[in-house]
Amino acid sequence: MQRLRGTLRCELSADLAATLQECDGASEPNGRFLPGSYRLLGCDEIVEQYVMLNTLLDELGESMVGYWWHPEWVPFATHIASDCLFVDMREGEDHGRIGEFRHEDHADGIWSSFAVMLHEVAQALQSGRAVREYVPTVVEGELAWEWAD
């Protein structure tokens, strides 16, 4: 956790920090428990993802800051296609908001906070209803997220 905090150009959200204290990420292959089959990253993986994205952002230039990536976004979950979920730690109305980064497009806000995201995931798991456009299912004894029809 100390390496993570020392690497970030911003604060770490309290909700994410508490989650990482309890469990330092989720292992492959069955750790993709977030909608869209995202896997919670551990502290070292967050550092790797954060450094890589900010290095690419520096190469892309100022016009991509906040559109493609921002140094005050903290990645915390990854998708097999290299997309990620992040916490927006910029000051202002989006502070604490969860966004989805798509490496070949731009980032969008999804949830108002980490806690709201976890609450919606828990409700979907209890009810079997969709969260965003994904429905939780069990495939061969493991949680999977299928596209809702």
Side-chain angles (χ1 to χ4, degrees):
M1 181 71 79
Q2 187 172 357
R3 178 175 172 233
L4 173 58
R5 289 183 191 274
T7 301
L8 297 177
R9 299 181 198 175
C10 58
E11 292 295 314
L12 185 60
S13 83
D15 292 343
L16 179 56
T19 299
L20 292 170
Q21 292 284 32
E22 289 296 318
C23 67
D24 189 19
S27 62
E28 286 285 5
N30 55 359
R32 298 193 174 278
F33 64 89
L34 296 171
S37 297
Y38 280 94
R39 180 181 66 84
L40 183 67
L41 298 171
C43 290
D44 289 340
E45 293 173 303
I46 292 173
V47 168
E48 291 169 19
Q49 187 86 0
Y50 182 82
V51 168
M52 184 262 308
L53 288 167
N54 282 294
T55 300
L56 289 172
L57 181 63
D58 290 343
E59 293 171 9
L60 292 172
E62 282 294 314
S63 66
M64 300 304 273
V65 174
Y67 174 78
W68 186 78
W69 186 253
H70 194 283
E72 293 183 64
W73 292 348
V74 180
F76 67 87
T78 189
H79 185 273
I80 197 162
S82 299
D83 298 337
C84 71
L85 298 177
F86 64 87
V87 180
D88 188 340
M89 294 306 295
R90 295 175 295 174
E91 291 299 321
E93 66 182 47
D94 289 334
H95 184 81
R97 189 167 187 77
I98 302 302
E100 182 175 34
F101 165 78
R102 291 180 301 279
H103 69 283
E104 293 184 3
D105 197 357
H106 68 282
D108 285 322
I110 300 175
W111 288 284
S112 60
S113 70
F114 193 77
V116 167
M117 178 194 72
L118 292 180
H119 179 74
E120 286 186 19
V121 169
Q123 284 185 322
L125 293 173
Q126 289 175 342
S127 69
R129 286 182 284 205
V131 59
R132 295 184 49 228
E133 58 271 348
Y134 301 99
V135 176
T137 60
V138 176
V139 177
E140 296 181 15
E142 294 184 6
L143 175 63
W145 293 91
E146 294 184 355
W147 191 263
D149 294 329

